[in-house]
Amino acid sequence: MEKRIHWIDAAKGLGIILVIMSHAPMNPELRAFLFAFHMPLFFYLSGVVFKPSRQAPLTFVKKKARGLLLPYFIFSAITYLTWFVLFRHLPFTPGENVDPIHPFTGIFLSTPENYQLTYNPAIWFLTCLFLVELLFFFYYRLSRGKWIGLFLLTTAVLGYGSTFLQFALPWNGFVALTAVVFYGLGFLTKTFWKTYSWKIVAPIAVSFFSIMYIIQSFNERIDMRGNILGEAYLFYPAAILGMIAFLMLIQKLQHTKGLLYLGSNSIIVLLVHMPVLNLVKAMMHYGFGVNLDTANTLPWTLLFTGLTLLLTIPFIVFFNKHPWFLGKKEMNKKTKMRTPQVSFREKSYPKSI
C-alpha cells in the first residue's frame, strides 16, 4: 500500500468541503470565489503525485482506467438510476424538463451539454482527469520531461482557444487542455511547500485571497466543467493566487484528523455528494418548509454542507469495505493500518483523487 502524505490528504479534505459548499445553496459572490480556484486545485494536487516511470503505456492506461473510469461508470449507473427514479421529480432540479435520454447518453459522453450530467454533475472530473493523466504521461514519456514550460504554455493556449468553440469533446477533452496546465504545475512544484509560522502564513494568505477576489470580480464566474474560463489573463492569476493561499494554509492544518479522513476518501465524497446534497435539500424543503431560493446565506450554506458531509460518512464506510466499486483491490488487515507520514525524499506518493 502506498504511504499517504498528510498535507496532500489535508488539502483534498478541505478542498472537497469547498466543492460541496460550491454546490450547496450559496451567495453568488462566494460561489464565484470558490469556483475560481477549487477545481484547478484538484488537478494541481493530482499532478503533485505523478511519478515518472518506465512502465509500458498500456499498463499505465489500464491502471488509470481501473482507478478512474471503472468507478466513473459504476457510479454513473447508480446515480443515474437514483436520478431517474427520484431526484428528477424534485422541484429544485431541472429533471422534470429533461429528456432522460440526454443524461443517459451523458454517461458515455461526460459533457455538460443538454443536461447530460444532471444526474451527478461532479462526476465529470474523473473522465477529464483520465485524459489529463494520459496527456501528461505521454508528453513526459516522449520528451523525458524536456520543454515542459513550452508544453504547458501550448496546452494553455489551446485550452483557452477551445472556449470559443460551440461544441464540447467527449470526456471534457477541451477542458483537459486547461487542466493539464495545473497538473503540470503540481508536478513541477511538489517540493516547494513548507510549513511557515502563522505570522507569515496569515498575512500572505489573506493578501493573496483578497487579490484573487478582486481579479475574479472582473471576470465572469469560472466553470471548468463547462469550459467557461472568462479571460485567460484573469483566470490563471486568480486560480494560482488562490491555490498558493490555500496550500500555505493547509501546511498549518495538515495534521487535522477530519481533513485527513475526508482527503483519503475524497473520491468517494466526490462521487456521492451531489445525490446526498439533493437528499438534504429535499429534507429541508419538504420537512422544514425551507425556501431553497432564499436559503443562500453563509449559515445556510454551512448547514447544507455539514449535513451532506455527515450523510456521506456511511458511504465512505461502505465503499471502503467494498473497494472494488472504486477500482481497488481488497486489503488485508495489515495494509489497512494507518501508515506514517513521509517526506518527498522517500519518493512515495498517494494515488490521485
Side-chain angles (χ1 to χ4, degrees):
M1 179 180 178
E2 293 179 316
K3 296 180 179 180
R4 314 290 307 191
I5 299 175
H6 284 187
W7 75 263
I8 298 177
D9 277 340
K12 289 181 180 180
L14 184 55
I16 204 67
I17 292 174
L18 298 184
V19 169
I20 297 175
M21 285 182 65
S22 68
H23 292 147
M26 175 181 282
N27 177 281
E29 288 189 6
L30 181 56
R31 192 187 307 276
F33 177 84
L34 295 180
F35 270 58
F37 76 95
H38 75 333
M39 291 318 299
L41 171 71
F42 274 101
F43 287 110
Y44 177 94
L45 293 172
S46 297
V48 169
V49 300
F50 173 80
K51 294 187 294 184
S53 67
R54 295 183 177 276
Q55 62 182 305
L58 184 58
T59 301
F60 181 85
V61 172
K62 287 181 178 179
K63 178 182 177 181
K64 294 303 175 181
R66 181 182 178 89
L68 294 171
L69 298 186
L70 181 60
Y72 169 81
F73 283 110
I74 290 175
F75 282 86
S76 286
I78 294 172
T79 52
Y80 175 83
L81 290 174
T82 58
W83 172 84
F84 183 84
V85 173
L86 177 62
F87 294 124
R88 73 187 180 106
H89 302 295
L90 299 177
F92 47 82
T93 69
E96 288 285 3
N97 300 318
V98 174
D99 184 347
I101 195 65
H102 291 309
F104 180 76
T105 58
I107 294 175
F108 307 97
L109 297 177
S110 189
T111 68
E113 295 186 338
N114 297 321
Y115 295 101
Q116 288 177 350
L117 291 176
T118 192
Y119 64 91
N120 192 350
I123 208 167
W124 71 275
F125 179 79
L126 296 189
T127 52
C128 187
L129 180 59
F130 176 75
L131 296 183
V132 170
E133 295 268 16
L134 265 58
L135 181 59
F136 196 81
F137 172 83
F138 283 107
Y139 145 74
Y140 204 92
R141 182 68 176 244
L142 293 173
S143 70
R144 297 181 181 178
K146 298 178 181 178
W147 311 298
I148 189 169
L150 179 61
F151 170 73
L152 297 181
L153 178 62
T154 301
T155 57
V157 171
L158 292 175
Y160 180 67
S162 72
T163 63
F164 297 97
L165 301 177
Q166 300 301 312
F167 65 95
L169 289 179
W171 295 9
N172 286 85
F174 286 141
V175 180
L177 294 171
T178 300
V180 77
V181 176
F182 298 103
Y183 187 97
L185 289 176
F187 173 72
L188 284 174
T189 62
K190 64 174 68 179
T191 59
F192 175 81
W193 302 105
K194 299 178 182 179
T195 302
Y196 298 96
S197 68
W198 278 112
K199 292 182 179 180
I200 297 176
V201 171
I204 293 179
V206 171
S207 299
F208 279 21
F209 274 137
S210 299
I211 297 171
M212 188 207 81
Y213 176 81
I214 294 171
I215 294 174
Q216 175 55 36
S217 68
F218 290 99
N219 204 4
E220 62 181 305
R221 199 197 81 181
I222 305 304
D223 183 2
M224 286 193 71
R225 179 173 66 98
N227 205 21
I228 299 172
L229 308 180
E231 301 295 338
Y233 66 88
L234 297 174
F235 165 68
Y236 281 105
I240 291 172
L241 284 171
M243 290 191 303
I244 292 174
F246 179 94
L247 291 171
M248 288 192 71
L249 286 173
I250 214 66
Q251 304 304 317
K252 304 295 293 182
L253 303 173
Q254 62 178 295
H255 299 295
T256 306
K257 291 183 179 180
L259 296 182
L260 293 173
Y261 179 75
L262 290 174
S264 61
N265 294 287
S266 57
I267 189 171
I268 300 175
V269 181
L270 177 80
L271 290 166
V272 305
H273 82 272
M274 287 300 294
V276 172
L277 178 59
N278 280 332
L279 189 64
V280 172
K281 289 180 179 179
M283 178 180 67
M284 300 300 289
H285 177 74
Y286 292 110
F288 299 95
V290 175
N291 185 342
L292 298 177
D293 292 328
T294 58
N296 60 358
T297 58
L298 184 58
W300 280 113
T301 300
L302 294 176
L303 178 61
F304 279 104
T305 302
L307 290 174
T308 302
L309 282 170
L310 285 175
L311 291 177
T312 60
I313 292 177
F315 291 97
I316 291 174
V317 173
F318 175 83
F319 289 119
N320 276 322
K321 290 182 178 179
H322 305 281
W324 63 268
F325 281 98
L326 305 173
K328 300 177 181 178
K329 297 179 180 180
E330 294 283 349
M331 296 180 293
N332 58 40
K333 292 183 179 180
K334 289 184 178 181
T335 57
K336 288 181 180 179
M337 294 176 64
R338 186 176 177 180
T339 53
Q341 183 181 10
V342 296
S343 69
F344 280 106
R345 293 187 181 92
E346 294 175 87
K347 303 295 184 184
S348 183
Y349 303 88
K351 187 178 179 180
S352 56
I353 184 173

